[in-house]
């Protein structure tokens, strides 16, 4: 039996020797991060500073953009340091912090998308009751719930992860994740696995179920409603559906890669797929909503071309 030891750091084995184009990778990731921060901050400022955008739909979108900033900040600075480093290690405490950031980001993302689908459901299926149902108190409550419940769920996850006695410190990824560390445990991890399933059900399956239900109701109204109703549904729901599909695609491949042996795939493809939901979604959302929501698009154009 392998003796367990106190692990003070973890080593990432997924990084490969990229000395010939290390700086090129660094510049590419840095540009992606700067663009992500700029686009999300721009749209957050636009929504906050314009009273015409202080409507439920835009406030929920603003919450989504804040989460994109949070998630990208939990990964990109760390990734930039690792790209330039010759030794790919991280302290155990920072690794647990990164797991907390990455997992809360993912859970808050699904929760925000669920809240937004509920908002669209009320607006399209119950337009006459929308203002009485979607009050400012309810908006604040929904936003708070979409942030606090994932944070509490992941705090419990981390509290179960930290005490584990580990028999190794090699993580076959480019960043820290819960399942990679659980696999290193010398002890029985039944409690971790059961809680992982419960947390996944509460923070991912429940929001996705709500989203599917609301869109089934929206589609039913669209097919039986007027052309104007269908146009409204398409214009407001397209960016939301695109965001949901894009993020779900990234999460699906990350879960697939964590649970199954994907060594048959090229290393660089595995790295890309594991980073997709953390790197592409934070830029995808502001671009998608900025281009598709007419009020935001008009205000952004006036800001960008103000000097012309």
């Amino acid at each position: 039996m392998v003796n367990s030891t106190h692990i003070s750091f973890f080593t990432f084995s997924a990084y490969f020797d990229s000395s010939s184009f290390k700086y090129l990778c660094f510049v590419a990731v840095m540009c992606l991060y700067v663009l992500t921060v700029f686009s999300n901050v721009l749209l957050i400022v636009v929504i906050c500073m314009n009273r015409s955008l202080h409507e439920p739909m835009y406030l929920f979108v603003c919450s989504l953009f804040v989460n994109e900033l949070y998630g990208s900040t939990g990964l990109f600075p760390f990734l930039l340091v690792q790209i330039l480093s010759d030794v790919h290690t991280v302290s155990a405490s920072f690794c647990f912090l990164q797991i907390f950031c990455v997992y809360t980001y993912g859970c808050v993302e699904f929760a925000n998308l669920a809240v937004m689908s509920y908002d669209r459901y009320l607006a399209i299926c119950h337009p006459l009751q929308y203002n009485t149902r979607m009050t400012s108190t309810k908006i604040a409550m929904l936003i708070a719930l979409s942030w606090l419940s994932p944070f509490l769920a992941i705090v419990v996850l981390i509290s179960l992860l930290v005490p584990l006695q580990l028999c190794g410190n090699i993580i076959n990824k480019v960043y820290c994740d819960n399942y990679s560390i659980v696999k290193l445990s010398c002890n029985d991890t039944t409690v971790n696995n059961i809680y992982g399933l419960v947390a996944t059900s509460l923070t991912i399956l429940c929001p996705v179920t709500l989203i599917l239900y609301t869109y089934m109701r929206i589609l039913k109204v669209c097919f039986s409603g007027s052309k104007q109703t269908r146009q409204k549904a398409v214009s407001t729901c397209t960016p939301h559906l695109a965001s949901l599909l894009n993020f779900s695609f990234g999460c699906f491949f990350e879960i697939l890669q964590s649970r199954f042996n994907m060594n048959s795939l090229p290393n660089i493809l595995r790295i890309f797929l594991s980073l997709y939901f953390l790197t592409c979604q934070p830029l995808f959302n502001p671009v998608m909503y900025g281009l598709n929501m007419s009020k935001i698009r008009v205000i952004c154009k006036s800001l960008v071309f103000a000097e012309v």
Side-chain angles (χ1 to χ4, degrees):
M1 181 177 177
V2 180
N3 292 327
S4 64
T5 57
H6 174 69
I7 301 297
S8 60
F9 68 93
F10 294 97
T11 302
F12 301 103
S13 62
Y15 287 95
F16 56 92
D17 183 18
S18 60
S19 55
S20 56
F21 55 97
K22 177 168 63 176
Y23 296 103
L24 178 63
C25 291
F26 178 85
V27 171
V29 174
M30 174 63 82
C31 290
L32 182 61
Y33 182 46
V34 170
L35 193 59
T36 298
V37 170
F38 173 77
S39 57
N40 281 285
V41 168
L42 173 65
L43 294 184
I44 290 169
V45 170
V46 164
I47 292 171
C48 291
M49 298 299 290
N50 289 271
R51 294 189 64 85
S52 63
L53 298 179
H54 291 183
E55 299 174 9
M57 178 173 64
Y58 297 107
L59 294 176
F60 294 139
V61 169
C62 186
S63 175
L64 192 70
F65 294 153
V66 171
N67 190 45
E68 306 306 350
L69 278 178
Y70 169 70
S72 57
T73 303
L75 175 75
F76 276 103
F78 167 83
L79 204 58
L80 290 168
V81 170
Q82 290 295 327
I83 289 172
L84 292 181
S85 177
D86 294 325
V87 180
H88 305 293
T89 60
V90 64
S91 68
S93 56
F94 187 88
C95 191
F96 295 132
L97 176 62
Q98 186 178 57
I99 292 171
F100 177 81
C101 291
V102 169
Y103 279 59
T104 48
Y105 162 72
C107 295
V108 171
E109 190 80 0
F110 276 114
N112 271 320
L113 291 171
V115 167
M116 291 165 68
S117 70
Y118 173 69
D119 173 69
R120 291 302 82 210
Y121 161 73
L122 287 182
I124 294 168
C125 299
H126 303 281
L128 298 179
Q129 303 169 20
Y130 180 75
N131 289 330
T132 56
R133 287 196 184 187
M134 194 58 74
T135 61
S136 56
T137 303
K138 193 169 187 178
I139 293 168
M141 184 189 72
L142 288 171
I143 292 175
L145 186 65
S146 67
W147 281 84
L148 292 177
S149 53
F151 271 67
L152 290 174
I154 304 306
V155 163
V156 176
L157 183 79
I158 298 297
S159 68
L160 292 173
L161 183 64
V162 172
L164 289 178
Q165 292 295 314
L166 306 180
C167 292
N169 68 339
I170 307 296
I171 297 176
N172 189 28
K173 299 190 74 168
V174 295
Y175 64 93
C176 297
D177 81 309
N178 174 69
Y179 191 63
S180 294
I181 294 179
V182 169
K183 287 192 294 186
L184 295 173
S185 175
C186 308
N187 303 335
D188 179 49
T189 57
T190 302
V191 174
N192 298 75
N193 293 330
I194 291 174
Y195 181 76
L197 291 173
V198 172
T200 301
S201 299
L202 293 175
T203 59
I204 297 179
L205 295 183
C206 287
V208 170
T209 302
L210 176 62
I211 292 168
L212 293 176
Y213 171 76
T214 54
Y215 271 95
M216 285 173 63
R217 297 295 299 272
I218 289 170
L219 285 173
K220 184 179 178 182
V221 169
C222 289
F223 283 123
S224 61
S226 63
K227 183 180 179 181
Q228 185 180 3
T229 303
R230 287 194 293 272
Q231 287 176 339
K232 179 184 177 182
V234 169
S235 64
T236 59
C237 294
T238 297
H240 180 266
L241 276 174
S243 175
L244 174 65
L245 291 173
N246 184 65
F247 191 65
S248 298
F249 169 82
C251 289
F252 172 75
F253 275 106
E254 169 56 15
I255 293 171
L256 197 67
Q257 187 173 214
S258 297
R259 300 287 171 170
F260 300 100
N261 186 359
M262 305 288 281
N263 290 332
S264 57
L265 293 177
N267 190 40
I268 194 164
L269 178 60
R270 281 186 283 132
I271 292 173
F272 172 76
L273 291 175
S274 70
L275 291 172
Y276 183 85
F277 81 106
L278 288 167
T279 56
C280 294
Q281 184 76 358
L283 183 59
F284 180 86
N285 274 341
V287 171
M288 179 58 64
Y289 284 98
L291 292 176
N292 280 277
M293 302 184 86
S294 57
K295 282 188 177 181
I296 293 179
R297 186 172 64 248
V298 168
I299 295 172
C300 285
K301 279 185 178 179
S302 65
L303 285 174
V304 172
F305 299 107
E307 299 297 327
V308 181

